[in-house]
Amino acid sequence: MATPTTGAIKARVRLGDRVFSSSTVFAGSLILVLLAAVAIFLIVQSLPAITAKAGTLPNAAPNFWVYVWPLVFGTVWAAAIALLIAIPISIGVALFISHYAPRKLSQGLGYVIDLLAAVPSVVFGLWGVLVLAKGIQPFFVWLNENLGWIPLFGGVVSGTGKTVLTVSIVLAVMVLPIMTAVCREIFLQTPVLHEEAALALGATRWEMIRVAVLPFARPGIISASMLGLGRALGETLAVAMVLSPAIVINFFLLTSQNPNTIAANIALQFPEASGVRINVLIASGLVLFVITFIVNAIARIAVNRRKAFSGAN
């Protein structure tokens, strides 16, 4: 039979559990409420832009969709190229840290990679416009002269190096730390029995990684890639500082006429916007919001289709 003291302790513990449970439910619900509030605000403020008549929109666009489509293209195009650059590098660095480097070196390198994620975007922007753009411009000329028959490297090469490819490289460097950190943690969680079984059957280290580590880490790699894509889609300051934008749609990577991104366009145009033009910028932000939501939904579907290994953990 419980004593009064024991009953009081249990009552206090149960009260704490209830408080903690209620606070976590409140925090989770608050996130959903804030997300819904942001969506409602964007939709309401976007209606005047979506229904605006020709002549009231920037760049003499006949309607909002004609205006925003080049920005959507530039946003997705730059982020896709950045992801194409960052994925193999992040996987390689993460594999080196988790399975190849000595313990002391892997720990130090892991800390350095994590610290890179804390570097402000303005620093990356300054590096891109003052160092990378000037230094990589001769390489762009070489690409155009030797691989100009490929449409991506055709056109007249920019003399400043401020191209969509430069921006994509900057974005790749910016998303590399978070992607590498996620991939590294996923690789380290590979069941040891899977790795030892592959090695016991005569597999080399790379064969073990190929048949045991990478299949196990595939959902995590997808999650890391989508996380990096979301960062690249919404990056503003670095893109605005490096890119020489224009309202165009083209696939040339080395020319001076480059498609702008939604986030950079909002940052550049908002200080001078007024009237319906503010609604146009908010409406373009709504489009970016939808794109980000779709990217996260696709990532969730892809991850759920391939659950992590279990049973041998």
Side-chain angles (χ1 to χ4, degrees), residues 26-100:
F26 172 77
S29 303
L30 182 62
I31 294 176
L32 296 177
V33 171
L34 292 176
L35 186 63
V38 170
I40 293 172
F41 167 78
L42 291 175
I43 293 172
V44 171
Q45 293 295 322
S46 299
L47 291 177
I50 296 174
T51 59
K53 298 179 180 180
T56 60
L57 297 174
N59 304 320
N63 57 67
F64 169 74
W65 303 111
V66 173
Y67 169 79
V68 79
W69 171 241
L71 300 175
V72 173
F73 171 80
T75 301
V76 176
W77 181 233
I81 298 173
L83 206 63
L84 190 64
I85 298 172
I87 287 177
I89 297 177
S90 62
I91 293 176
V93 174
L95 284 175
F96 176 76
I97 293 175
S98 62
H99 286 82
Y100 285 94

Side-chain angles (χ1 to χ4, degrees), residues 94 177-187 220-221 223-225 227:
I178 185 64
M179 292 177 60
T180 302
V182 173
C183 290
R184 181 191 69 213
E185 295 302 321
I186 296 298
F187 294 156
I221 294 174
S223 300
S225 302
L227 187 63

